[in-house]
Amino acid sequence: MVAPLRLGVAGLGTVGIGVVQIVQRHADLIAARAGRAVVITAVSARDRSRNRDADLSGYAWEADPVALAQRDDIDVFVELMGGSEGPARDATEAAIAAGKDVVTANKALLAHHGHALALASEAAGRVIRFEAAVAGGIPVIKALTEGLAGNALRRVMGVMNGTCNYILTRMQSAGLPYDQVFEEARQLGYLEADPNLDVGGIDAGHKLALLAAIAFGTKVSFDAVELEGIGAISIDDIRRAADMGFRIKLLGVAQMTGRGLEQRMTPCLVPEGHPLGQLQGGTNMVVLEGDAVGQIVLRGPGAGSGPTASAVLADVIDIARGIRTPTFGVPAAALVVPTPARTSTPAPWYLRMTLLDKPGALAKIATALGEAGISIDRMRQYGHQGVQAPVLIVTHKATRDDVDTAMARFAATGVLVGEPVAIRIEEV
Ligand code: HSE
């Protein structure tokens, strides 16, 4: 008879209570699958008196998560508090020092300290697992470390912030401006306490950096992710992109190039017919490309109690089974320090601008593009607004530098009204 695996759960918010509920509801099923019982021994949260949707009476209570992490009667420290510093970091470090395995949903902690934590835990013969930290209920880390273990990964892409995808798809379906939908998202409780984590692309950037480390065997380098949020996306761009057969997504892309590792989390256009283009509301999608398998698409809930707890339990059950895959798929000491590369993989671009409606205006823009080495694929001019003409151009493949050169030349033409918009079209 194998002894039960004993969990200490720190953080009893939506996800923590979801974990408690699954452990209680599926005790038999989990024991059958893991070959041993999985039990919760002790829990910790900021406020003991809060009403929670689970019976916690059978568990010891620790006010201090560090004390929970150090208890002799837990085997696995389950960290569901969040935050890259403070109690989450202190308690995780304490758990490793005390010889515990760690399961966490904390993307910020791992994006900033994942390498050091993985080194420490592996030196102690323990593991840190974080399926729940990336794309919630989608088993993307298992897909990378197990299902695609025989592939060299070519590219990893994803829509990994449900709030941003909700905002962008709601803007399109309701024809509403960003500010109004942002407020709606706030009232629905979709936004993080610091909304910039969502709409500034930081939360999704953390997730991309973690996937890139696993996919390319590199040390997590969140600081090298090119980040751009969705705050500048206008309803005009959403509409015009749709006219041209595209959708705008906050898309993460990581790929290893001859120049180094490109990582970006930026608004991009994707074809409306690709699964990425069809992704609606708060759902997440991860697209993985391996040299042997080609492209696979994983879609599912990226947040919420059940989905995130589902991912936590996957890691817990692996540990109960004795499966001890290293945190980033290979031992942390073997992770390579990547050379960060600013995105210069060429792509088609969407350019939207307003021109003075006078002879030769469009010719000047076409000339500026030609001089920057950029070829036009498609172009559309919309109904004049007084003496102004909205113009939309889709280019053939060009680098970011060439587009920047063209934009600088546009400014010198004297025919531009306001600022032009340039958005990369990701070839998927
Ligand atoms: N705020 C995130 C999202 C969930 O909207 O997807 C947690 O990462």
Side-chain angles (χ1 to χ4, degrees):
M1 180 83 179
V2 185
L5 185 78
R6 302 164 302 173
L7 312 181
V9 179
L12 294 171
T14 320
V15 180
I17 290 301
V19 168
V20 171
Q21 289 169 342
I22 296 181
V23 169
Q24 293 178 351
R25 185 168 77 237
H26 289 322
D28 293 344
L29 184 148
I30 292 169
R33 289 181 177 159
R36 62 196 287 203
V38 171
V39 298
I40 295 171
T41 311
V43 295
S44 167
R46 267 196 299 245
D47 178 4
R48 188 171 188 174
S49 62
R50 208 172 112 190
N51 242 345
R52 294 185 168 89
D53 201 11
D55 177 8
L56 305 174
S57 59
Y59 312 142
W61 181 275
E62 292 283 1
D64 176 7
V66 171
L68 175 72
Q70 292 168 329
R71 284 178 71 104
D72 289 338
D73 59 358
I74 72 159
D75 305 304
V76 181
F77 178 64
V78 181
E79 190 277 294
L80 305 173
M81 293 178 286
S84 62
E85 306 297 335
R89 184 178 179 190
D90 295 345
T92 301
E93 288 174 349
I96 294 166
K100 315 294 183 188
D101 292 319
V102 174
V103 172
T104 180
N106 190 334
K107 61 231 76 171
L109 176 71
L110 290 173
H112 289 283
H113 307 296
H115 189 244
L117 292 170
L119 280 173
S121 85
E122 288 168 21
R126 311 317 303 174
V127 293
I128 303 177
R129 301 287 300 266
F130 63 95
E131 185 69 78
V134 181
I138 300 177
V140 58
I141 293 178
K142 269 187 176 294
L144 279 173
T145 56
E146 297 178 30
L148 302 182
N151 286 256
L153 272 295
R154 290 197 296 238
R155 183 169 60 160
V156 174
M157 294 184 282
V159 170
M160 296 184 284
N161 183 276
T163 304
C164 288
N165 202 56
Y166 168 82
I167 291 174
L168 293 172
T169 53
R170 173 90 177 129
M171 283 171 74
Q172 173 155 28
S173 61
L176 294 172
Y178 174 83
D179 290 342
Q180 203 171 326
V181 180
F182 176 90
E183 197 43 46
E184 201 178 272
R186 186 200 295 282
Q187 279 166 19
L188 288 166
Y190 290 177
L191 287 158
E192 300 279 344
D194 172 5
N196 197 42
L197 287 175
D198 286 317
V199 298
I202 299 164
D203 164 83
H206 287 153
K207 296 167 184 169
L208 182 75
L210 295 174
L211 288 188
I214 297 173
F216 303 111
T218 47
K219 191 174 158 186
V220 190
S221 50
F222 168 68
D223 290 344
V225 178
E226 293 170 46
L227 280 184
E228 188 186 321
I230 61 168
I233 299 296
S234 71
I235 184 67
D236 279 351
D237 285 316
I238 298 227
R239 287 195 180 120
R240 304 296 193 214
D243 279 354
M244 294 297 228
F246 297 105
R247 297 285 183 264
I248 300 183
K249 297 289 168 193
L250 179 67
L251 185 71
V253 180
Q255 63 193 124
M256 190 60 83
T257 71
R259 299 171 310 280
L261 179 62
E262 289 184 3
Q263 302 179 91
R264 58 183 177 276
M265 180 59 67
T266 58
C268 282
L269 269 64
V270 293
E272 64 189 350
H274 188 275
L276 281 167
Q278 295 183 357
L279 190 69
Q280 292 293 314
T283 309
N284 280 198
M285 182 169 285
V286 184
V287 179
L288 306 173
E289 292 174 350
D291 61 346
V293 73
Q295 184 181 85
I296 68 166
V297 176
L298 303 170
R299 173 185 182 281
S305 177
T308 313
S310 159
V312 169
L313 262 296
D315 284 340
V316 166
I317 292 170
D318 262 4
I319 291 171
R321 286 168 164 156
I323 296 169
R324 306 187 68 77
T325 310
T327 307
F328 294 104
V330 298
L335 293 168
V336 174
V337 177
T339 306
R342 181 172 179 266
T343 297
S344 46
T345 301
W349 288 78
Y350 158 102
L351 306 176
R352 180 174 66 82
M353 64 203 80
T354 302
L355 303 183
L356 288 176
D357 186 21
K358 62 180 197 183
L362 199 50
K364 287 185 176 165
I365 294 298
T367 301
L369 283 168
E371 285 170 355
I374 299 176
S375 175
I376 295 171
D377 176 25
R378 287 186 283 155
M379 208 215 78
R380 191 169 289 175
Q381 181 167 313
Y382 290 86
H384 300 168
Q385 299 160 352
V387 292
Q388 300 178 4
V391 168
L392 215 121
I393 295 171
V394 172
T395 73
H396 285 295
K397 281 190 192 184
T399 63
R400 166 90 247 183
D401 286 347
D402 288 344
V403 171
D404 287 346
T405 303
M407 300 278 270
R409 286 174 190 260
F410 290 172
T413 59
V415 299
L416 210 55
V417 181
E419 288 291 315
V421 171
I423 308 178
R424 183 183 172 91
I425 302 173
E426 190 67 28
E427 293 194 298
V428 293

